[in-house]
Amino acid sequence: MTATTVPTSSPVVPRPARRAKRRSAALGLLAWAAGLAFCLPALWMLLTSLHAESDAATNPPSVFAPLTLDGYRAFFGADTGVTPWPPLLNSLGASFFSTLLVLLLALPAAYALSIRRVRKWTDVLFFFLSTKMLPVVAGLLPVYLFAKNAGMLDNIWLLVLLYTSMNLPIAVWMLQSFLADVPVSVIEAAQVDGARLPTVLARVIAPMAAPGIAATALICFIFSWNELLFARVLTGVVAQTAPVFLTGFVTSQGLFLAQLCAASVVVSLPVLAAGYAAQDKLVQGLSLGAVK
Amino acid sequence: MTTAAGTSAPVSAPRTPAPTPGKGRRRAWATRAPLLPALVFLIVVTQLPFVATLVISLFDWNSLNPDKRAFNGLGNYASVFTDAALRDSVVTTVLLTAGVVIATVVLGLALALLLDRTFFGRGMVRTLLITPFLLVPVSAALLWKHALYNPEYGLFNGALSWIGDLFGDTSPGQPDWIADMPLLAVIAALVWQWTPFMMLILLAGLQSRPAEVVEAARLDGASAWQTFRHLTLPHLRRYLELGVLLGAVHIVQNFDAVFTLTAGGLGTANLPYTIYQTFYQAHEYGLASAAGVVVVIGTIIIATFALRVVSSLFSEEANRA
């Protein structure tokens, strides 16, 4: 910023300009250093996952040890025959179906809150938000008791319902703010041309809000995939999710560091991909649409 | 919330035509209908269990002793506040939340200020910075516990011996991080994970700062510090509040890091972990529920502020539209 402002104030001040430039370069380097420092543990995890077990747990660390995929092979059950596929698929299923259900419930609600506004729409919005602030532990026991009596323990569909309730408020907020960005004039123009509501929704609103809807879906997917407490309490063997599998992994296999890092990388991979893809909308989602 | 309701009338006016009195009621329901599935779903899945928790909290109920279930009034609440372990976990929760939130705000602000400038590879640095936030929390906690904190071969002690080697010290200190400083170890791991979140929110705040005003201040001869102190900081206030409160609501509820790093040992059991243990391992349903209600009350206090902040940001946005 400094570099661009100097010429406007006066064209002949070379020395402060040069100093500003040098300062700017130094701050850029500092930003790079900070970025690398923050990413270092994650990069270390990746590197360790690619080392042989004998090179992984050494002191001082063996950074330049030969790379191998043995950790990944071991994680996928090459030695023990215990594969992580069922938990990974459970996580995928629970996250996918709850995201789908969230969108089905949240899209109409967001429509009513942004385009065809119900009265007192802000109050309704804040009610949605307030449910998100209710700590999960406060409702966990009744849910557990209900599931136990209804024979729904260790059932992936119970997780789908709970993850839906967990993400619905966020989705309503996000979608509300994305739909509100669709210009009213475009909607009205379509209506003047004789388009009816379903057509307007499908042909005008959905395409214009598509990036926002996609970002909402990704964020809901990430939160469901990450969830541990519900999954830990309410699932056992059959419906075990990837995070629960990870926590049990260390105790059941003993500690193999390379394998553990490989497991962490594999489990985090979908979230990393989704998160990088939704980077720009991530802030808006995480701040519940309050920040653009 | 009331302020939000106050702003709703003028804002919604241009969007919806005023309801005509005759067929108004049917129209109102037609408008409301799309909202109902989501509302009903949320009430059933989140509010009903909480009501059940409230009821259970009034009973003396240990599931290992189902016959002795009896009405206990506020007895469980008295236990929550007198039970040393539970009281300790209240203190732990406060320390953990405050420590993480303060550290992430300071670090996040510094990083946001660094990133709010143009420099080579800015997008790449941003991507590097948000990576901790995108790791699955359990993976991150396992990474810290085993690959970084491990006293024998963790990266931290590895780096210490490597640096020691460099300076000819053959036996540098090798702390057992988690055992020596358990709460700090949990806080550090959480700070690492949550700083990107604060940075993202504060960066959004910085980038929404009107450029002309900053420019004008610069032309008037304001120093960088003066601009920051008198323009940037007041503008960021709302974003800081929002970050603090949303962060606090999340950290108060943290379970993954405590569960994975220390399993609640060494004085790191926060309320969510303690409640989990009280009902899942000790089967004290009544007591766990009472503690849950206490957490809710605490969260409501934070959330009320959070809602007010979001509401003020939000009505600003609505007024602009």
Side-chain angles (χ1 to χ4, degrees), chain B residues 202-221:
Chain B
L202 294 176
L203 188 59
L206 283 177
Q207 290 176 345
S208 73
R209 188 178 43 160
E212 319 86 68
V213 182
V214 179
E215 189 70 12
R218 204 180 296 279
L219 288 179
D220 287 346

Side-chain angles (χ1 to χ4, degrees), chain A residues 5 24 27 32 38 45 59 108 116 122 126 128-129 133 135-136 138 141-142 180 226 232 255 268 271 276 279 291, chain B residues 4 15 31 42 49 53 117 120 126-127 130-131 134 136 139 152-153 161 174 192 204 253 276 296 299 303 311:
Chain A
T5 55
S24 174
L27 286 173
W32 265 99
F38 258 80
M45 176 168 92
N59 186 352
R116 212 178 191 191
T122 45
F126 280 100
F128 276 108
L129 187 54
M133 309 229 164
V136 165
L141 176 62
N226 284 353
R232 157 103 198 144
L255 184 62
S268 289
V271 174
Y276 289 140
Q279 233 184 92
V291 168
Chain B
R15 286 260 178 184
T31 323
L42 261 191
T53 300
R117 328 160 40 87
F120 174 73
R126 200 177 110 131
T127 304
I130 63 171
T131 302
L134 293 179
V136 172
S139 303
E152 276 142 46
Y153 48 76
S161 20
Q174 298 278 288
W192 177 72
Q253 299 194 37
Y276 159 83
V296 171
T299 314
S311 158

Side-chain angles (χ1 to χ4, degrees), chain A residues 1-2 5 8-9 23-24 27-28 30-32 34-42 44-45 56-61 101 105-106 108-109 111-118 120-145 148 161-162 164-165 168-169 172-173 176 179-180 182 184 187 222 225-229 232-233 243 246-247 250 255 257 260-261 264 267-268 271-272 275-276 279-280 282-283 286-288 290-292, chain B residues 1 4-5 7-8 11-12 15-16 27 30-32 34-35 37-39 41-43 45-47 49-50 52-53 56 61 107 111 114-115 117-121 123-139 142-144 146-148 150-153 155 157-159 161-162 174 191-192 195-197 200-201 204-205 209 214-215 218-219 239 242 246 249-250 253 255-256 259-260 272 275-276 279-280 285 289 292 295-296 299 303 306-307 310-311 313-314 317-318:
Chain A
M1 206 173 248
T2 39
T5 55
T8 58
S9 55
R23 212 187 105 206
S24 174
L27 286 173
L30 190 61
W32 265 99
L36 286 171
F38 258 80
C39 207
L40 183 70
W44 182 246
M45 176 168 92
T58 59
N59 186 352
L101 191 54
L105 292 168
Y111 173 78
L113 290 171
S114 63
I115 291 170
R116 212 178 191 191
R117 272 173 178 165
V118 296
K120 304 215 168 187
W121 59 280
T122 45
D123 286 355
V124 181
L125 259 184
F126 280 100
F127 169 75
F128 276 108
L129 187 54
S130 66
T131 65
K132 182 66 204 163
M133 309 229 164
L134 201 69
V136 165
V137 279
L140 190 60
L141 176 62
V143 170
Y144 171 79
L145 292 174
K148 201 169 148 193
L161 289 182
L162 292 170
T164 303
S165 76
L168 191 53
V172 168
W173 267 79
Q176 185 280 137
L179 291 190
V182 177
V184 195
I187 299 169
I222 291 176
W225 183 275
N226 284 353
E227 204 281 330
L228 175 69
L229 185 55
R232 157 103 198 144
V233 170
L246 259 187
T247 59
V250 183
L255 184 62
L257 196 61
L260 175 72
C261 286
S264 298
V267 172
S268 289
V271 174
L272 281 166
Y276 289 140
Q279 233 184 92
D280 293 333
L282 203 62
V283 201
L286 294 171
S287 57
L288 303 162
V291 168
K292 293 207 175 171
Chain B
M1 253 192 218
T7 58
S8 71
V11 173
S12 57
R15 286 260 178 184
T16 23
R27 261 194 85 109
T31 323
R32 239 172 262 159
L35 196 60
L39 265 183
F41 183 91
L42 261 191
I43 290 171
V45 182
T46 68
Q47 313 287 294
F50 179 61
T53 300
I56 297 173
W61 181 7
L107 274 172
L111 291 172
L114 274 178
L115 280 196
R117 328 160 40 87
T118 42
F119 60 89
F120 174 73
M124 186 64 209
V125 171
R126 200 177 110 131
T127 304
L128 286 175
L129 275 173
I130 63 171
T131 302
F133 194 67
L134 293 179
L135 288 187
V136 172
V138 174
S139 303
L142 287 170
L143 164 75
W144 278 77
H146 296 293
L148 304 182
N150 187 294
E152 276 142 46
Y153 48 76
L155 181 63
N157 281 355
S161 20
W162 182 69
Q174 298 278 288
V191 166
W192 177 72
T195 298
F197 168 78
L200 286 174
I201 286 190
R209 188 178 43 160
V214 179
E215 189 70 12
R218 204 180 296 279
L219 288 179
Y239 296 86
L242 181 74
L246 288 177
V249 166
H250 276 106
Q253 299 194 37
F255 174 77
D256 306 28
F259 176 79
T260 310
I275 294 169
Y276 159 83
F279 105 81
Y280 203 67
Y285 287 0
S289 298
V295 180
V296 171
T299 314
L307 285 174
V310 177
S311 158
L313 267 172
F314 182 69
E317 186 70 36

Side-chain angles (χ1 to χ4, degrees), chain A:
Chain A
M1 206 173 248
T2 39
T4 54
T5 55
V6 169
T8 58
S9 55
S10 106
V12 269
V13 220
R15 198 172 298 161
R18 199 181 310 147
R19 201 191 301 151
K21 209 171 203 175
R22 210 178 303 148
R23 212 187 105 206
S24 174
L27 286 173
L29 273 179
L30 190 61
W32 265 99
L36 286 171
F38 258 80
C39 207
L40 183 70
L43 293 174
W44 182 246
M45 176 168 92
L46 182 66
L47 187 66
T48 307
S49 77
L50 292 167
H51 280 163
E53 287 300 346
S54 54
D55 295 324
T58 59
N59 186 352
S62 32
V63 178
F64 299 108
L67 302 182
T68 161
L69 287 174
D70 283 354
Y72 291 87
R73 261 182 231 118
F75 173 61
F76 282 106
D79 314 328
T80 55
V82 181
T83 74
W85 287 114
L88 284 171
L89 290 175
N90 281 337
S91 275
L92 192 67
S95 308
F96 175 80
F97 285 110
S98 89
T99 302
L100 199 66
L101 191 54
V102 165
L103 289 182
L104 281 177
L105 292 168
L107 268 172
Y111 173 78
L113 290 171
S114 63
I115 291 170
R116 212 178 191 191
R117 272 173 178 165
V118 296
R119 302 180 64 195
K120 304 215 168 187
W121 59 280
T122 45
D123 286 355
V124 181
L125 259 184
F126 280 100
F127 169 75
F128 276 108
L129 187 54
S130 66
T131 65
K132 182 66 204 163
M133 309 229 164
L134 201 69
V136 165
V137 279
L140 190 60
L141 176 62
V143 170
Y144 171 79
L145 292 174
F146 163 80
K148 201 169 148 193
N149 291 330
M152 276 182 79
L153 277 183
D154 206 6
N155 183 326
I156 203 86
W157 296 106
L158 181 68
L159 288 186
V160 170
L161 289 182
L162 292 170
Y163 292 169
T164 303
S165 76
M166 178 176 90
N167 289 329
L168 191 53
I170 303 174
V172 168
W173 267 79
M174 283 183 80
L175 289 175
Q176 185 280 137
S177 76
F178 290 126
L179 291 190
D181 285 345
V182 177
V184 195
S185 55
V186 180
I187 299 169
E188 278 167 356
Q191 279 165 339
V192 168
D193 289 346
R196 301 183 54 126
L197 177 62
T199 323
V200 176
L201 269 177
R203 294 279 173 81
V204 181
I205 297 172
M208 290 190 84
I213 297 173
T216 310
L218 282 177
I219 284 178
C220 293
F221 185 90
I222 291 176
F223 283 148
S224 307
W225 183 275
N226 284 353
E227 204 281 330
L228 175 69
L229 185 55
F230 278 136
R232 157 103 198 144
V233 170
L234 301 169
T235 69
V237 188
V238 185
Q240 192 185 54
T241 62
V244 182
F245 179 78
L246 259 187
T247 59
F249 190 68
V250 183
T251 38
S252 65
Q253 310 274 312
L255 184 62
F256 294 104
L257 196 61
Q259 198 182 336
L260 175 72
C261 286
S264 298
V265 170
V266 171
V267 172
S268 289
L269 220 49
V271 174
L272 281 166
Y276 289 140
Q279 233 184 92
D280 293 333
K281 303 275 181 201
L282 203 62
V283 201
Q284 200 173 341
L286 294 171
S287 57
L288 303 162
V291 168
K292 293 207 175 171

